[in-house]
């Protein structure tokens, strides 16, 4: 199968700084792929390398099966949609849309026809004669997308396109972008530092850290089986609780280093004395009648939004419990807390890798 985009062993150096490390990534035609990770991990560098705005140092980049390492940006047939909308302020929406066609020598009538078609797809038909300053943030974002669409690119590249928008518009626009992707049968690569955005929009999520792909896969696979502590802590909100732990002498139980150490059974045998990190998601902890849970926790801060309750334990490490609806837990209570064993994630304390 020929992938729409393929990177094999790609490295990028800025001088001595190793910004991308051995990146292997295959993006099938029609996929919506999110690149996610903390600021500075190399997301934009990777996207700009696809676009040809950065030159990769080693490795190979293929687009639709053709080697692109040395092909200039305009010949790669990819469209970049930026965070700052980068619209021409002195041009109307229609002129913004037709500009890239006009500079390629498309005649005015044809360019206008193309603009009208794209505007109908993106819901801009009524706004073609407005200037960018006369548009809302969401509308400007749509113009930026339309300007990309009009060129029928091989793929759309998005670099945090929604980070300038307020929260409710962001939620709306992420649905709109995904719907547009589906409607166009496009291939999209979407950079974000927001794991919720990545999880909700993409069908394939690539988690990066310090220039390395830590894990990639379907959103819920990353949630269910993070390969290491970094991915486990990055995916999911509120974040997974981590508790230092040590395997007991019998090799069949674990002592958790909580405010008062607590012992839990292990379903697998581990070397006695092994140092581990136990990971439990807040939504997998349940407050149960006294004596019925595996953990005893004293309550610290309780927050209720109406939809959810966030119950944080007192002491260190703080353990967060997410309950839907309201809770009767209050500061100072000692709770019995249960979890199902298949929700217990274990990581090596030494390497951070999943066990
Ligand atoms: N032109 C450049 N020269 C030197 N270092 C750069 C350049 N561009 C980016 N970097 C560095 O590469 C790393 C990755 O940057 P970037 O890809 O922009 O991260 P992200 O988009 O994930 O926040 C950062 O440490 C950044 O400082
Ligand atoms: Mg960036």
């Amino acid at each position: 199968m020929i992938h729409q985009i393929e990177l094999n062993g790609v490295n990028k150096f800025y001088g001595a700084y190793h910004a991308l490390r051995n990146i292997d990534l295959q993006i099938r035609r029609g996929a919506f792929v999110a690149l996610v990770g903390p600021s500075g991990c190399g997301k934009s560098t990777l996207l700009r390398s696809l676009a040809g705005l950065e030159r990769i140092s080693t490795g190979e980049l293929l687009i639709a099966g053709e080697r692109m390492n040395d092909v200039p940006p305009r010949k790669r047939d990819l469209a970049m949609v930026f965070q700052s909308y980068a619209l021409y302020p002195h041009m109307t929406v229609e002129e913004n849309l037709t500009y890239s066609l006009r500079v390629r020598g498309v005649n005015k009538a044809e360019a206008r026809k193309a603009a009208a078609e794209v505007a109908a797809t993106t819901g801009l038909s009524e706004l073609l004669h407005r200037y960018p300053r006369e548009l809302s943030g969401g509308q400007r974002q749509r113009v930026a997308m339309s300007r990309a669409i009009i060129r029928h690119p091989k793929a759309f590249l998005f670099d945090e396109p929604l980070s300038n928008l307020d929260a409710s518009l962001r939620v709306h626009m992420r649905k709109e972008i995904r719907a547009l992707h589906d409607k166009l049968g496009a291939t999209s690569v979407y950079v974000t530092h927001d794991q919720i955005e990545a999880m909700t929009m993409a069908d394939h999520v690539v988690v990066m850290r310090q220039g390395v792909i830590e894990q990639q896969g379907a959103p819920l696979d990353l949630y269910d089986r993070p390969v290491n502590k970094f991915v486990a802590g990055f995916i999911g909100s509120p974040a997974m609780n981590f508790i230092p732990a040590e395997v007991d002498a019998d090799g069949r139980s674990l002592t958790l280093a909580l405010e008062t150490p607590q012992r839990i059974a292990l379903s697998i045998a581990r070397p006695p004395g092994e140092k581990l990190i136990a990971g439990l998601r807040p939504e997998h902890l349940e407050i149960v009648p006294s004596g019925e849970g595996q953990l005893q926790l004293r309550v610290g801060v309780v927050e209720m939004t109406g939809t959810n309750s966030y119950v944080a334990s007192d002491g260190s490490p703080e353990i967060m419990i997410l309950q839907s609806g309201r809770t009767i837990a209050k500061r100072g209570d000692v709770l019995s807390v249960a979890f199902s064993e298949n929700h217990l994630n274990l990581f090596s304390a030494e390497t951070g890798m999943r066990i």
Side-chain angles (χ1 to χ4, degrees):
M1 171 171 154
I2 294 180
H3 289 97
Q4 190 72 345
I5 297 175
E6 184 169 346
L7 295 109
N8 297 317
V10 165
N11 287 277
K12 168 72 185 173
F13 291 89
Y14 291 113
Y17 184 75
H18 200 171
L20 295 177
R21 296 167 182 255
N22 251 316
I23 301 291
D24 289 319
L25 179 62
Q26 282 140 24
I27 298 175
R28 65 171 176 76
R29 194 160 180 204
F32 196 114
V33 173
L35 307 179
V36 67
S39 176
C41 71
K43 306 178 295 291
S44 295
T45 300
L46 182 46
L47 203 71
R48 290 168 58 80
S49 300
L50 297 180
L53 302 172
E54 300 289 349
R55 201 169 187 290
I56 60 177
S57 308
T58 65
E60 189 180 45
L61 164 64
L62 306 176
I63 296 175
E66 278 182 64
R67 188 183 156 94
M68 288 286 143
N69 291 42
D70 305 309
V71 174
R74 63 187 146 60
K75 295 208 171 138
R76 293 190 186 194
D77 233 0
L78 304 175
M80 192 103 171
V81 184
F82 291 97
Q83 166 186 339
S84 47
Y85 318 112
L87 303 179
Y88 301 112
H90 58 286
M91 292 186 192
T92 63
V93 169
E94 183 177 56
E95 287 160 352
N96 266 284
L97 295 186
T98 53
Y99 182 77
S100 71
L101 300 180
R102 298 283 289 138
V103 296
R104 269 155 225 242
V106 175
N107 75 44
K108 195 165 182 180
E110 253 176 71
R112 289 187 65 178
K113 186 160 164 272
E117 274 171 26
V118 172
T121 309
T122 55
L124 289 173
S125 301
E126 308 300 313
L127 305 175
L128 282 170
H129 298 292
R130 294 226 190 141
Y131 286 90
R133 63 172 182 276
E134 300 167 329
L135 302 175
S136 70
Q139 290 166 336
R140 281 181 216 168
Q141 186 61 55
R142 265 192 250 160
V143 178
M145 296 242 345
S146 304
R147 222 168 40 169
I149 293 168
I150 204 165
R151 293 169 37 205
H152 298 292
K154 288 207 177 74
F156 293 93
L157 309 179
F158 297 90
D159 197 348
E160 312 225 11
L162 305 184
S163 44
N164 285 344
L165 306 181
D166 66 51
S168 65
L169 185 54
R170 216 155 56 214
V171 171
H172 172 76
M173 286 305 294
R174 74 190 187 211
K175 290 200 205 100
E176 200 165 299
I177 290 176
R178 178 67 216 213
L180 211 47
H181 165 95
D182 293 342
K183 193 160 159 186
L184 296 167
T187 305
S188 301
V189 186
Y190 190 100
V191 163
T192 175
H193 63 272
D194 179 348
Q195 57 97 15
I196 301 277
E197 213 169 274
M199 297 286 281
T200 53
M201 293 180 79
D203 31 51
H204 189 84
V205 175
V206 178
V207 181
M208 295 178 66
R209 174 174 61 162
Q210 292 174 4
V212 173
I213 294 181
E214 294 280 337
Q215 187 172 5
Q216 52 176 309
L220 292 180
D221 289 344
L222 300 191
Y223 174 90
D224 289 335
R225 283 195 66 78
V227 296
N228 58 31
K229 184 170 170 265
F230 174 77
V231 176
F234 192 77
I235 300 289
S237 174
M240 187 183 281
N241 297 298
F242 293 116
I243 313 164
E246 188 170 328
V247 178
D248 298 326
D250 61 4
R252 299 305 305 241
S253 64
L254 202 60
T255 297
L256 301 176
L258 286 163
E259 205 63 13
T260 47
Q262 300 184 34
R263 207 161 163 178
I264 57 171
L266 270 180
S267 59
I268 45 161
R270 297 297 306 176
E274 185 183 28
K275 301 250 194 296
L276 300 175
I277 305 283
L280 286 165
R281 294 196 183 278
E283 58 273 35
H284 293 151
L285 295 176
E286 191 189 354
I287 299 170
V288 293
S290 165
E292 291 182 12
Q294 299 101 312
L295 303 175
Q296 306 291 315
L297 298 173
R298 184 180 299 275
V299 177
V301 175
V302 177
E303 294 171 327
M304 287 192 255
T305 64
T307 313
N308 291 319
S309 301
Y310 302 86
V311 179
S313 74
D314 210 2
S316 149
E318 180 190 275
I319 306 300
M320 177 69 80
I321 303 166
L322 172 62
Q323 268 195 298
S324 67
R326 295 164 195 230
T327 184
I328 55 164
K330 57 185 191 310
R331 181 186 289 278
D333 288 353
V334 175
L335 302 176
S336 185
V337 174
F339 57 89
S340 109
E341 190 142 356
N342 60 354
H343 286 145
L344 175 64
N345 295 268
L346 293 175
F347 306 98
S348 158
E350 195 184 333
T351 65
M353 297 308 285
R354 181 186 198 84
I355 292 192

